[in-house]
Amino acid sequence: MTLVAGIDSSTQACKVTVRDLATGLRVREGKAAHPDATVVDPEVWWTALLEAVRAAGGLDDVAAVSVSGQQHTPIFLDASGAAVARSPLWNDTGSHPQMVALNAELGREEWIRRTGLPLTLSDTVVKARWLRDTDPDAARRTAAVAVVHDWLTWRLRGFGPGTGGVERLTTDRSEASGTAYWSGQDEAYTPDLFAHAFGSSAILPEVLGPLGRAGVTGAGIPGVPAGIPIGVGSGDNAAAALALGLEDGDAVLSLGTSGVVYARTAAPVHDYAGYVCSYADATGAHLPLVATLNAARNLHLGASLLGCTYAELSDLALEAPAGAGGLALLPYFEGERTPDLPHARGSLQGATLTNLTRANFARAVVEGTLASQVAMLDALHACAVPTTRMLLIGGAAKNHAVQRVLSQMVDLPIVVPEFDEYVTKGAAMQAAAALDGAFPSWELAATELPRAQFEPQIARQHVEAQRALGYIDPVLIGSS
């Protein structure tokens, strides 16, 4: 049996999955947690990768490996290969002033026209301006800027602090497209935009093709044999889309730490309304995407407050009627990216002495979470991105209340693929491509959810709650 490994360095943890090259089936896996902080020493990601490899039984019998990871999050490196500062994660809201400044300086439409991205506080270019503003000395010492997957791939090749070799950094087009200094139209960096934000130029990773090979593993890495091929890797959503075999007309709703809705298109999208980010995928196509900061953790909060399990939260939510008796939750607990509300906080609207019950509250948590996601689907539709079915993935996809309520809010067939680590699976497919020169064809099992009566009052109630707090934006009115 030939084995390949996929690595996912996500926001919350590093996961390693070893798979059978012939079938894609998981043989073994390992996991290691990341810290909860949103500005961290990047060395924690390398330490977690090594721990996850160890937990997976090592990679001594693996023929190839590839890394995927959280998009946007930068590592700022000096010429020796050492990090000059801690890294702000994509979901750290401290860079919001820098986003505002960059939009004011060049104009929001200019960023969209040239990169396909309405600038958000998550984008790498915004984090680069953040470093320039908050730690000018570190910015002056920066020779190269990479994102997490680029850097971990480089470390697996044997580079690191003190080795130099920052000019050997590599990436793929999906990660490059999330920086806001790369053009999906031209398939090339826009170095003047980086220099404008950062105040100087820096080495940027070489962008390899979808079937590219980043190199081979270096010597002396615990649990990792030297000399095995390393795939090009990708951003997390691009890896998941690859594993799902995404086709034109498919939309994906991923409910994890963040909520993400994306689809596959042949050409880049330019959303001058300012919500859809035109990313590239891992195959050569494009992946227009909208994201929220708040998603599956909302369910964790709801279960904790009610003192129940996730299954009990689901059962409670399904006891309540659509609309939760008038309760509406705006789940902006961490601020929000879509809509752009970095300083907002969660709010429960419409509570009375009679409707504030455990069941209605559980339902409001589920409805509020999904209303934010359905609004993102509407933003894709506003950009003429066609969708004929929805694939529901992520940790919260197994929740029965999530499945039922989403079926009441979206007038599309909804398919739930069997549970898998789709980011590590996509990374493993890239490892296979580094080995064989082509992506493998692995079977995907999925179940279509029963259709449910459309309940437009759920989205309408969410909009009314937004309006009550002055958050309303007509682009984000959920009506799918």
Side-chain angles (χ1 to χ4, degrees):
M1 179 188 295
T2 302
L3 302 177
V4 290
I7 299 174
D8 171 21
S9 184
S10 71
T11 308
Q12 294 180 304
C14 184
K15 303 168 188 173
V16 176
T17 304
V18 177
R19 296 177 185 267
D20 177 7
L21 175 61
T23 64
L25 295 177
R26 283 180 287 177
V27 174
R28 59 183 192 270
E29 56 194 355
K31 181 178 179 180
H34 288 156
D36 290 334
T38 58
V39 182
V40 304
D41 179 350
E43 200 65 24
V44 302
W45 296 317
W46 177 243
T47 301
L49 184 151
L50 295 178
E51 184 180 338
V53 165
R54 185 168 55 252
L59 305 183
D60 287 329
D61 55 350
V62 165
V65 65
S66 192
V67 182
S68 184
Q70 53 180 290
Q71 284 195 264
H72 313 299
T73 300
I75 295 94
F76 302 102
L77 300 170
D78 67 17
S80 79
V84 302
R86 295 189 302 162
S87 292
L89 272 66
W90 65 273
N91 60 345
D92 181 74
T93 58
S95 54
H96 187 260
Q98 285 72 34
M99 180 201 77
V100 173
L102 288 171
N103 273 325
E105 290 161 10
L106 296 184
R108 186 180 73 166
E109 290 194 356
E110 181 70 359
W111 290 99
I112 297 170
R113 182 183 71 81
R114 296 195 58 194
T115 71
L117 302 189
L119 275 193
T120 73
L121 58 83
S122 298
D123 299 324
T124 317
V125 76
V126 175
K127 306 301 185 183
R129 171 59 68 88
W130 173 88
L131 186 72
R132 192 199 81 171
D133 289 352
T134 60
D135 194 343
D137 179 64
R140 281 192 294 272
R141 291 186 288 116
T142 298
V145 179
V147 298
V148 176
H149 131 254
D150 312 341
W151 181 73
L152 290 174
T153 299
W154 183 73
R155 295 294 299 266
L156 283 171
R157 292 166 61 200
F159 296 103
T163 67
V166 293
E167 73 283 353
R168 303 281 299 280
L169 285 159
T170 61
T171 192
D172 86 308
R173 55 198 295 281
S174 73
E175 290 282 36
S177 69
T179 62
Y181 42 82
W182 186 85
S183 166
Q185 200 75 45
D186 301 331
E187 297 278 331
Y189 283 121
T190 54
D192 61 308
L193 293 179
F194 176 87
H196 173 85
F198 196 54
S200 64
S201 61
I203 294 169
L204 304 176
E206 179 187 0
V207 181
L208 303 177
L211 299 176
R213 180 189 287 194
V216 298
T217 52
I221 302 172
V224 182
I228 66 171
I230 305 173
V232 60
S234 65
D236 49 4
N237 293 303
L242 176 62
L244 291 166
L246 210 63
E247 299 178 352
D248 292 350
D250 288 340
V252 175
L253 168 54
S254 176
L255 287 173
T257 302
S258 60
V260 180
V261 175
Y262 55 86
R264 184 182 187 276
T265 58
V269 169
H270 293 81
D271 178 19
Y272 290 98
Y275 297 101
V276 178
C277 298
S278 189
Y279 298 136
D281 78 350
T283 71
H286 295 268
L287 205 67
L289 177 151
V290 197
T292 65
L293 298 181
N294 301 275
R297 287 181 296 178
N298 303 342
L299 305 183
H300 174 76
L301 177 64
S304 297
L305 285 173
L306 292 174
C308 64
T309 65
Y310 290 121
E312 290 167 341
L313 179 77
S314 177
D315 291 342
L316 278 169
L318 293 176
E319 291 175 9
L327 282 185
L329 177 71
L330 297 179
Y332 305 148
F333 300 110
E334 297 289 333
E336 195 44 88
R337 166 175 165 167
T338 308
D340 178 29
L341 298 168
H343 305 300
R345 292 296 178 261
S347 176
L348 187 66
Q349 301 286 308
T352 69
L353 291 173
T354 56
N355 72 1
L356 189 53
T357 64
R358 287 168 57 83
N360 281 337
F361 177 74
R363 176 96 189 192
V365 170
V366 175
E367 289 185 348
T369 299
L370 291 176
S372 291
Q373 318 312 314
V374 172
M376 296 193 296
L377 180 64
D378 292 336
L380 284 179
H381 291 165
C383 291
V385 175
T387 56
T388 55
R389 70 168 182 164
M390 173 173 277
L391 284 73
L392 176 63
I393 64 170
K398 296 177 290 184
N399 186 289
H400 293 303
V402 166
Q403 295 179 0
R404 177 67 176 173
V405 173
L406 184 63
S407 298
Q408 294 173 328
M409 297 182 69
V410 176
D411 192 20
L412 290 172
I414 300 173
V415 172
V416 182
E418 67 176 354
F419 180 75
D420 205 336
E421 295 290 351
Y422 284 102
V423 177
T424 65
K425 186 175 184 179
M429 293 175 73
Q430 292 182 303
L435 194 64
D436 295 338
F439 294 127
S441 297
W442 290 341
E443 185 177 350
L444 177 70
T447 302
E448 183 169 338
L449 298 181
R451 302 297 286 266
Q453 180 177 329
F454 184 53
E455 300 285 358
Q457 72 270 29
I458 300 173
R460 186 165 55 243
Q461 200 164 278
H462 186 76
V463 168
E464 290 168 354
Q466 288 179 306
R467 183 177 290 115
L469 293 181
Y471 296 156
I472 191 62
D473 185 324
V475 174
L476 291 176
I477 295 176
S479 59
S480 290

